[in-house]
Amino acid sequence: MTDTLNQTHGVSLTDQAATKVRNLLEQEGRDDLRLRVAVQPGGCSGLIYQLFFDERLMEDDLVKDFAGVELVVDKMSSPYLDGATVDFEDTIQKQGFTIDNPNAQGSCACGDSFS
């Protein structure tokens, strides 16, 4: 068995996103959750992002710590997300987490699906 905490991935988390994650976890009174980013088949472009809090840590998960926020990527999603950046926008036009992925060759208008 491999020590998952020594395996890292190539996904980055901006300071704004890390702050938002910490704030959300504090509001919920939880310190046992990690932010998980995954890619799954679906959406109009073929693949869809999954971004959610997870208390589980699987054996093959890749973990990276960003100022106390653990960002987890499963081993199968890692090649699709290598070099991606998770950010949080809070403007009058848009509020929410975004993923800037250099591996995406195309995406749909909603921004949730890519190929």
Side-chain angles (χ1 to χ4, degrees):
M1 184 159 103
T2 307
D3 182 6
T4 56
L5 295 179
N6 289 332
Q7 296 181 2
T8 62
H9 50 74
V11 182
S12 297
L13 188 67
T14 66
D15 291 341
Q16 296 90 329
T19 298
K20 184 62 176 180
V21 169
R22 276 193 300 277
N23 290 342
L24 289 170
L25 293 176
E26 285 174 11
Q27 287 175 5
E28 293 297 316
R30 303 282 302 261
D31 61 1
D32 61 331
L33 298 175
R34 300 159 182 87
L35 183 63
R36 182 176 291 276
V37 183
V39 172
Q40 298 194 341
C44 50
S45 293
L47 297 170
I48 191 163
Y49 296 112
Q50 299 287 313
L51 186 67
F52 58 96
F53 290 119
D54 198 350
E55 59 190 19
R56 298 171 300 140
L57 192 59
M58 305 304 216
E59 184 176 330
D60 288 339
D61 281 344
L62 308 173
V63 181
K64 199 176 210 181
D65 187 275
F66 293 89
V69 173
E70 287 185 325
L71 183 63
V72 180
V73 177
D74 65 88
K75 200 166 194 159
M76 290 185 65
S77 297
S78 183
Y80 296 102
L81 295 168
D82 191 43
T85 302
V86 178
D87 194 9
F88 183 80
E89 292 186 36
D90 190 6
T91 67
I92 197 163
Q93 295 175 329
K94 185 176 186 177
Q95 182 181 36
F97 289 96
T98 61
I99 299 175
D100 180 20
N101 187 353
N103 300 306
Q105 296 175 352
S107 64
C108 63
C110 69
D112 291 334
S113 180
F114 72 100
S115 62

